[in-house]
Amino acid sequence: MEKSAWFVWPFMLGFMFALAVLLLRYLWWLRSLLRRPSSRLLSRMFSKHSLLAVREIFSEGLLHLRIYKRNRRLGFMHMSLALGWFMMIVGGKFETWFHSGQFLHGTWYAVFFRYFEPQTVGGWAGTFWLHYMDFGLLLVLTGLALAIVKRIRKKVLGIHSTTRHTLVNRVALTFLWMIFPLRLVAEALTFGQHGGGGFLTGALGRCCFTSGTLAGLELPFWWAYSLSLGAFFVVLPFSRYLHIPTEMVLILLRHWGLQAAEDLQPEKALQAFEIHACSSCGLCLDVCPAIKDHPFQSAYFLRALRSGKGWESLASTCLSCGACEEACPINLGLEKLRMAARGKIHEKHHAVYSYLPTVGPVETSKVDVLLFTGCMGRLKPATTKALKDLFEEAGLSWVHLDEQESICCGRPLALAGRASEASALREHNRSLIKGQQARMLVTTCPICLKQFRDDYRLELPVYHHSEVLWSCLSSGSLKREKGTACFSYHDPCELGRKSTCYQAPRELLQSCGTLLSLEREQADALCCGNSLGSLSLSLSERQALTSRTLKVLEVPGAQSIVTSCPLCQHNLARQSSLPVKDLAEVLAVTGLPEQQGQRKAALAAVQEL
Amino acid sequence: MPKPDFGFSFAPNRALELSVPLLPEVQAVLEAEPSIRACMACGQCAAVCTAGVFTPLAFYRLVLQLWAGEVEVVGQRAQHCMLCGKCQMTCPRGVNIRNALLLMAALLPPKP
Ligand code: SF4
Ligand code: SF4
Ligand code: SF4
Ligand code: SF4
Ligand code: SF4
């Protein structure tokens, strides 16, 4: 190599260093798998799953389609950065192959190709590669411009919060931002001095850099380009940019059937890849109901896990509302990770449930519904009463499983990371169900619903009461007239995002009144603020969340707020200026005008006293 | 000297010894969940507790026992909690009772 070409060394050294560190880290994370590869993994490796993974890598790692669907401008920014760079890497390979007739070269040759071969010839194909490479560069520079705008005025890109970065990330970001403008100038200088070039670099060279006095600048700019590339690669494995290669491996491993562990192992197997695949894109920030109060959002939680410091309080304060998991473009299992972290914090916790009453063999005649109202339902008997009235009206027979003493379903323990302790509770509730002959299990609490559906493995289907009431209404066994009442509906996190039940409650309310549309609803709904998901959020912070949620719900025209979770109902009612009711209560009341009259009379009587 | 008659008496072993510093493990629990200090022993948490129907678990009592340094009893009773959250839903002082109970239950090593 000539002396003048020594400028490639900073890049080469940085690149080799990054490769070596990445390889070591990945091998370390995969150590248990390498020792005992599962047969499932091996069989999936050579199957269509690998092709599906490649497709996902293309659509998410390069095109960033999921981000694009949420926010076009932001999606375009990510896409242009990734796709542009990818185009240049692939194009560089083909271009050098095309020009030299050789496929294999030193990595540096393609990266600094223009310096070595400014006067490339080769007819239309040579011209094609010149313009193609310029197009890639233009794409990256557009993305870069958007990224700079995002840092200065985030609203332009349609976001309110961006991730606050640590020092190493800011250093990496600076080098990354320097790379492409430097490449543009270096290439333009070369073309200006020697002629040629595509529509961008060539034109820039012809208009600004033809003067012979600038010839001395050519080499320094190639040095600067190489230095910034090298420096970026040196910090890459220790910054958030580690996500670029890690996300691709994660997608592969997922398609090969690997699943994240239940316990916290931030440096092992799939969990390690999940934690390091987070790009700090910040999509989880704006959706978080607590973004104004507490920096525990997933981007920060994952960063704390990566550094091993301070993740404990972030894990236990979060409300587990599921909004970030819904928004995350790489589908990270954020709730599972948080539960694993909580399990680690409370690993010394131990429960003793030997006191639970034993349930004898149950012998009953066949009924339609097994009703489970759960712990929260116990504190809200009005909802249970209303639901039983509605069952009666619809001609459904029922057995109320936990009428006497309600034993918790186990999900609150799971949300605290102690799922392993919940088996005794689940056993107890299972024995209540065993032997019963029924068509379905119905719960009034979305938390129970989720637990029964996901972890009980029952032989009968499990429904939320809103789903059953909606089917009664559509089959005609329950009839309602559309009244004049105006409702706003609060989607409970556990029913909406966690159980994707949005339709039934809405249909029910529309059948007996008018349902108002809200600024944030369905998957974007805010948490009521009193979730069982948070272990340590303080009262004042919870109240602040509740008032923000109420601001969304108390739209002009709303006469009452309706929800379908006893916990949400109770919590919202504490701070709301409007009455807050459960769906079952609304439906029961609208059906019985005479009962409404009675209530009014009773109220009037009280007021007279 | 004859004992003065205040019209009430208290058992010496229940008295809070303010001159004695709190046990380190008690301090750790209070630091990890500071809202425990807000408890005013109103008893609502115990009134709704299902575990309390079958066992001597009553959260407000555990708080008093924690202050008194009776970590063994506290740990034992806290282990009966199902973390259902009924208590927290009724607490007028916003104590994070579930987190407190998780921490309290860990005061006692699990029986093999
Ligand atoms: S957790 Fe997901 S949404 Fe949040 S910053 Fe990371 S990648 Fe983005
Ligand atoms: S689960 Fe909800 S509260 Fe927790 S970080 Fe995600 S969005 Fe925020
Ligand atoms: S109480 Fe309701 S909104 Fe709040 S966490 Fe539950 S399900 Fe979500
Ligand atoms: S309900 Fe709250 S304030 Fe009342 S005794 Fe229980 S913890 Fe203390
Ligand atoms: S969380 Fe524990 S203490 Fe509170 S009501 Fe439930 S079982 Fe009782």
Side-chain angles (χ1 to χ4, degrees), chain A residues 346 348-353 355 357 375-376 379 405-406 408 412-413 416 425 532 535-537 542 567 570 574, chain B residues 33 48 50-51 53-55 79-86 89-90 93-94 96 98-99 102-103 105-106 110:
Chain A
H346 296 291
K348 286 217 209 103
H349 165 267
H350 178 65
V352 176
Y353 298 127
Y355 63 84
C375 303
M376 293 303 155
L379 295 183
E405 281 307 337
S406 59
C408 184
L413 267 165
L425 304 182
L532 281 183
L535 287 171
S536 51
L537 200 65
R542 277 185 265 148
L567 191 54
H570 180 71
R574 282 197 281 213
Chain B
E33 190 43 72
V48 295
T50 309
V53 173
F54 302 103
T55 72
Q79 291 183 344
H80 297 315
C81 166
M82 303 185 270
L83 289 193
C84 71
K86 288 203 289 278
M89 193 147 143
T90 55
R93 304 281 289 166
N96 280 323
R98 295 172 67 239
N99 200 30
L102 270 168
L103 297 162

Side-chain angles (χ1 to χ4, degrees), chain A residues 328-506:
Chain A
C328 179
I330 36 179
N331 291 344
L332 296 179
L334 297 167
E335 177 168 313
K336 196 168 175 188
L337 255 176
R338 241 180 229 107
M339 299 313 124
R342 290 178 180 181
K344 180 81 187 162
I345 302 170
H346 296 291
E347 63 185 346
K348 286 217 209 103
H349 165 267
H350 178 65
V352 176
Y353 298 127
S354 46
Y355 63 84
L356 293 181
T358 43
V359 185
V362 219
E363 297 264 338
T364 49
S365 51
K366 196 164 166 59
V367 288
D368 295 306
V369 171
L370 296 179
L371 179 63
F372 191 92
T373 49
C375 303
M376 293 303 155
R378 197 164 187 79
L379 295 183
K380 291 276 145 190
T383 305
T384 313
K385 165 86 173 50
L387 184 61
K388 286 179 178 173
D389 288 347
L390 289 166
F391 281 166
E392 193 121 331
E393 195 186 332
L396 291 174
S397 54
W398 76 88
V399 169
H400 189 169
L401 287 176
D402 55 346
E403 190 159 22
Q404 297 307 319
E405 281 307 337
S406 59
I407 301 303
C408 184
C409 63
R411 177 136 171 95
L413 267 165
L415 283 169
R418 306 305 299 154
S420 54
E421 303 289 313
S423 58
L425 304 182
R426 283 200 294 265
E427 259 337 293
H428 176 273
N429 288 326
R430 249 192 227 112
S431 64
L432 282 176
I433 298 165
K434 213 181 336 176
Q436 300 272 12
Q437 301 179 51
R439 280 165 46 208
M440 60 188 122
L441 179 72
V442 175
T443 78
T444 51
C445 172
I447 304 168
C448 303
L449 176 81
K450 174 116 181 94
Q451 183 71 6
F452 277 108
R453 267 192 189 159
D454 294 357
D455 290 309
Y456 271 65
R457 298 208 188 86
L458 298 172
E459 274 151 28
L460 74 179
V462 187
Y463 297 114
H464 183 247
H465 66 293
S466 63
E467 297 169 304
V468 176
L469 292 177
W470 170 234
S471 88
C472 288
L473 221 58
S474 30
S475 72
S477 60
L478 211 58
K479 285 193 185 66
R480 287 295 176 271
E481 305 258 306
K482 200 170 173 83
T484 53
C486 271
F487 312 107
S488 66
Y489 176 71
H490 169 71
D491 283 285
C493 320
E494 296 275 318
L495 188 66
R497 278 184 293 268
K498 310 259 185 105
S499 308
T500 48
C501 172
Y502 300 112
Q503 210 47 40
R506 290 188 158 73

Side-chain angles (χ1 to χ4, degrees), chain A residues 531-552:
Chain A
S531 148
L532 281 183
S534 178
L535 287 171
S536 51
L537 200 65
S538 74
L539 178 66
S540 58
E541 287 167 311
R542 277 185 265 148
Q543 285 171 335
L545 289 178
T546 308
S547 30
R548 230 171 287 143
T549 310
L550 281 171
K551 229 176 245 157
V552 174

